[in-house]
Amino acid sequence: MPDIQAVRPLSTPAVSPRVLVTAAGVVVLLLLLAYLVAFDQGAISQSGMYLHELMHDGRHLLGVPCH
Amino acid sequence: MPLTAGRTTPSYGALLLRGLLAGLIAGLLAGVFAYSTGESRIDAAIAIEEAAAPAAEPAGDGHHDEELVSRDGQRAGLFLATALYGVAMGGLLATAYTLLRRRLRTDSDTRAALGLAGAALLGIVLVPFVKYPANPPAVGNPATINQRTIGYLSIVVIGLVAVWAGVLAARSPREGSPEWLRAVAAVAAFVIVVAIGYVLLPSIDEVPDTFPASLLWDFRIASLGTQATLWTALGLAFAALLGRIGTRDRAARERSDIVAA
Ligand SMILES: [Zn+2]
């Protein structure tokens, strides 16, 4: 018989040191991505102000500080 | 017939993938909201800026004068910005879910996902918005961009600390304390941390007296709605994708039960 319980909660992976290290790396990359969209003024993108200007409406509407 | 796997255990990679996908969906939806409610306000603000430009500083001082990207390009870039921002936030939400799931004290994955997204909406959108509300182009002073960015990031951190303090306070009363007491403790801790942040951080008001108040209001509501759309959609999409892991694994288990029987 299949179990009757309709929904089983997922358990998450145990937070092993390996998961922690991976998560730390992922967080750094994701924060870099958020920085590029929301705060970069040409320093990281290496394309002058192009990416900044391209995503300019988004920056203002996402509510991050801009010029 | 004993069930071998009592609970499904997705890997961090599986959770992360779902967070990134949920973030992409949420970012695009937020882009649609931003486009339909915000673009006309940005155009209006730019028109005001340009009308005032000849009297003000010469070209080259503000980067808006350089015209690197056309207005049409920026309208398309809006979707790129919200999509990438959504992906980043979705990945962070999935990581927080992985690290904190066991501490959330709920059996419901949906509640866990929505609770984290709600905490983020409160801590990194609503708390910062009250202190440093969004401004349309033509309002900020380029000379203060560093100060405004540091202030904004500080209030984001304080907002997250305030939510965390609220959760801790809700759990601190003794076992069996009434629910209202936990709620009061949570709200008090949250408000105290936020109030400290608001008092310590500098206030910045760079809106020119001549800027139309209704346009400013409409822009700020569009901005707040964009973030609210992003986090609401992100929480719901992530919860939905998590639900699908559970369903798929349950189906697989049932199949294996039938084979075993
Ligand atoms: Zn700018």
Side-chain angles (χ1 to χ4, degrees), chain B residues 127 155 158-159 162-163 189-199:
Chain B
V127 168
I155 199 66
I158 289 166
V163 171
F190 173 81
V191 168
I192 288 168
V193 174
V194 170
I196 291 172
Y198 282 179
V199 170

Side-chain angles (χ1 to χ4, degrees), chain B residues 112-123:
Chain B
L114 292 181
L116 283 177
L121 179 60
L122 182 60

Side-chain angles (χ1 to χ4, degrees), chain A residues 41 49 52-53 56 59-60 65-67, chain B residues 63-64 145:
Chain A
Q41 281 145 44
M49 298 299 283
H52 174 102
E53 283 299 302
H56 203 252
R59 291 178 72 146
H60 280 277
C66 200
H67 300 76
Chain B
H63 68 278
H64 297 287
I145 182 67

Side-chain angles (χ1 to χ4, degrees), chain A:
Chain A
M1 281 294 289
D3 55 308
I4 321 149
Q5 191 186 354
V7 177
R8 269 170 206 279
L10 302 168
S11 74
T12 50
V15 184
S16 64
R18 209 177 125 254
V19 168
L20 264 186
V21 170
T22 314
V26 167
V27 165
V28 168
L29 285 179
L30 293 173
L31 288 178
L32 203 63
L33 178 60
Y35 172 85
L36 185 69
V37 175
F39 302 103
D40 184 36
Q41 281 145 44
I44 295 283
S45 55
Q46 296 296 313
S47 62
M49 298 299 283
Y50 183 81
L51 283 180
H52 174 102
E53 283 299 302
L54 179 64
M55 298 194 279
H56 203 252
D57 290 11
R59 291 178 72 146
H60 280 277
L61 279 163
L62 287 167
V64 296
C66 200
H67 300 76

Side-chain angles (χ1 to χ4, degrees), chain B:
Chain B
M1 177 67 27
L3 294 172
T4 43
R7 296 180 148 207
T8 47
T9 304
S11 65
Y12 172 48
L15 292 170
L16 181 63
L17 205 64
R18 280 157 182 81
L20 296 173
L21 179 59
L24 180 64
I25 295 167
L28 290 173
L29 285 174
V32 171
F33 183 94
Y35 187 90
S36 53
T37 61
E39 276 298 338
S40 62
R41 275 77 197 219
I42 290 181
D43 287 338
I46 290 174
I48 291 171
E49 183 181 39
E50 279 170 357
E57 70 253 21
D61 207 20
H63 68 278
H64 297 287
D65 302 328
E66 292 165 19
E67 292 282 347
L68 272 171
V69 179
S70 69
R71 282 296 299 138
D72 281 340
Q74 289 184 328
R75 276 187 266 268
L78 168 65
F79 289 92
L80 179 67
T82 56
L84 290 180
Y85 186 84
V87 165
M89 296 304 132
L92 293 175
L93 181 71
T95 304
Y97 183 93
T98 305
L99 300 180
L100 300 175
R101 177 67 184 90
R102 284 155 189 257
R103 298 175 182 224
L104 294 178
R105 301 191 189 173
T106 170
D107 275 349
S108 162
D109 298 314
T110 303
R111 266 185 222 168
L114 292 181
L116 283 177
L121 179 60
L122 182 60
I124 71 186
V125 177
L126 296 179
V127 168
F129 192 88
V130 173
K131 179 69 178 175
Y132 299 123
N135 280 329
V139 164
N141 173 7
T144 61
I145 182 67
N146 289 337
Q147 187 201 354
R148 283 184 285 130
T149 301
I150 291 167
Y152 176 84
L153 291 176
S154 306
I155 199 66
V156 166
V157 172
I158 289 166
L160 286 174
V161 171
V163 171
W164 178 63
V167 172
L168 281 189
R171 292 175 176 185
S172 64
R174 264 184 223 146
E175 206 62 37
S177 305
E179 220 164 346
W180 66 263
L181 183 63
R182 295 175 181 280
V184 167
V187 171
F190 173 81
V191 168
I192 288 168
V193 174
V194 170
I196 291 172
Y198 282 179
V199 170
L200 289 184
L201 289 171
S203 296
I204 296 168
D205 179 11
E206 296 178 338
V207 182
D209 290 338
T210 51
F211 199 87
S214 59
L215 176 58
L216 184 66
W217 169 261
D218 288 343
F219 177 84
R220 286 180 173 172
I221 293 300
S223 170
L224 193 58
T226 299
Q227 284 278 14
T229 303
L230 188 130
W231 284 101
T232 307
L234 180 53
L236 291 172
F238 187 58
L241 292 170
L242 286 180
R244 289 185 57 85
I245 305 186
T247 318
R248 201 190 54 202
D249 288 10
R250 200 162 53 247
R253 218 171 28 244
E254 285 168 8
R255 270 196 306 278
S256 68
D257 288 346
I258 291 165
V259 169

